[in-house]
Amino acid sequence: MKSRLPCTVNLSILFTELPLLERPAAAKAAGFDAVEFWWPYPTAVPTDAEADAFVRAVRAAGVRLTGLNFFAGDMPGGDRGLVSWPGRAAEFRDNIDVTVAIGEQLGCRSFNALYGNRVDGAAPAEQDDLAVENLVLAAKAAERVGGTILLEPVSGAPAYPLLTAADATAVIDRVAAESGSRNLRLLADLYHLSVNGDDVAGVIASHADRIGHVQIADAPGRGAPGTGRLDLDGLLLRLQAAGYAGWVGLEYKPEGPSADSFDWLPRERRGSDRHA
């Protein structure tokens, strides 16, 4: 038995051999009707022209935007978000309305807020307090468009404190307790959870009703499904059985041209018309 969950392709890790604004059309040509992005600009607030060009490219390709990250700093340089970074709170807050506005224009209602690394000179408790303040602001902004804030455990970043589903849900619970915000959910990236040693099947059994989005890559290596040892289809079937009916974000590193990396995926799982 194979999973029937529909897939959306992450254009910040796939099709990167193409310029940013050409990627939505390339995904469409590969059969996808849905895409997601990390923050597509090097700064927290792009120019109006840059934002408009991005919106036009997604619309012109005829694809749906299913997910967008908030500005996360210099990702290639090791940054993993500004949510808990005391010296950059203003940047994150300036980015909130821009991100939500782009999402509103393109029908996107899922916004990933990378928590941020621990930084020198700031106590962890200070960072966590700031993170709650920033997540509340993001949640309120997203709520205006019926949106959800996603919180993600991440691997490969030694200073990033959210490693397991329990780490992320503890933050979500704190935000809800202190502010009443209920539109924060877990982003379950099965690759990151597995690499961090979390019990992925256990996470699905315990937290399926709290998962707002799923992403996949095989482990080890973060390649396409079938290149590693992770039973991705079995895990997606568990998610399906537990009631998850959302998108599965493809967030893997292709070995060659991105368009050649989808042989494992049936065409019928690439279309948003089968997932309203």
Side-chain angles (χ1 to χ4, degrees):
M1 182 177 177
K2 296 291 186 180
S3 166
R4 299 184 305 276
L5 293 173
C7 293
T8 178
V9 60
N10 190 298
L11 296 182
S12 295
I13 193 168
L14 282 148
F15 291 102
T16 57
E17 61 267 38
L18 298 174
L20 181 83
L21 299 184
E22 294 180 17
R23 296 176 201 170
K28 183 69 172 180
F32 289 93
D33 288 342
V35 302
E36 61 184 23
F37 280 87
W38 302 341
W39 184 243
Y41 309 104
T43 58
V45 180
T47 66
D48 289 345
E50 288 172 326
D52 290 345
F54 177 78
V55 170
R56 283 197 306 272
V58 174
R59 284 178 173 162
V63 292
R64 174 178 174 182
L65 184 68
T66 55
L68 183 62
N69 285 23
F70 292 101
F71 178 56
D74 178 10
M75 291 277 285
D79 294 346
R80 289 296 182 271
L82 306 186
V83 169
S84 65
W85 193 336
R88 304 186 72 175
E91 280 178 270
F92 179 74
R93 293 174 184 184
D94 287 344
N95 177 246
I96 290 174
D97 286 339
V98 181
T99 304
V100 172
I102 291 172
E104 184 177 23
Q105 291 182 73
L106 292 172
C108 175
R109 298 295 180 265
S110 294
F111 304 100
N112 186 18
L114 289 179
Y115 195 79
N117 295 327
R118 294 303 192 202
V119 297
D120 294 337
E126 176 193 355
Q127 288 195 248
D128 293 338
D129 289 347
L130 176 63
V132 171
E133 293 176 20
N134 282 333
L135 289 169
V136 169
L137 292 172
K140 288 180 177 177
E143 190 174 31
R144 294 196 295 266
V145 300
T148 299
I149 301 301
L150 301 170
L151 204 58
E152 180 182 15
V154 168
S155 65
Y160 191 89
L162 306 187
L163 302 179
T164 66
D167 293 334
T169 55
V171 176
I172 292 169
D173 288 342
R174 181 180 170 188
V175 171
E178 295 188 14
S179 72
S181 295
R182 303 289 177 184
N183 60 329
L184 276 78
R185 296 177 71 78
L186 172 66
L187 195 167
D189 185 311
L190 306 188
Y191 167 79
H192 287 311
L193 294 174
S194 174
V195 169
N196 285 342
D198 215 347
D199 175 3
V200 183
V203 167
I204 293 167
S206 301
H207 298 299
D209 61 338
R210 308 192 68 182
I211 294 173
H213 186 47
V214 172
Q215 292 174 332
I216 61 169
D218 215 333
R222 204 176 185 178
T227 60
R229 296 189 297 270
L230 199 56
D231 180 16
L232 288 168
D233 200 66
L235 292 169
L236 293 178
L237 285 170
R238 286 176 182 265
L239 276 160
Q240 239 178 250
Y244 181 78
W247 295 97
V248 175
L250 307 183
E251 202 182 62
Y252 61 81
K253 298 176 181 178
E255 293 181 351
S258 296
D260 296 339
S261 73
F262 303 114
D263 288 347
W264 61 274
L265 183 67
R267 301 285 293 193
E268 62 268 19
R269 288 183 59 199
R270 306 182 196 184
S272 60
D273 58 335
R274 286 164 286 280
H275 189 73

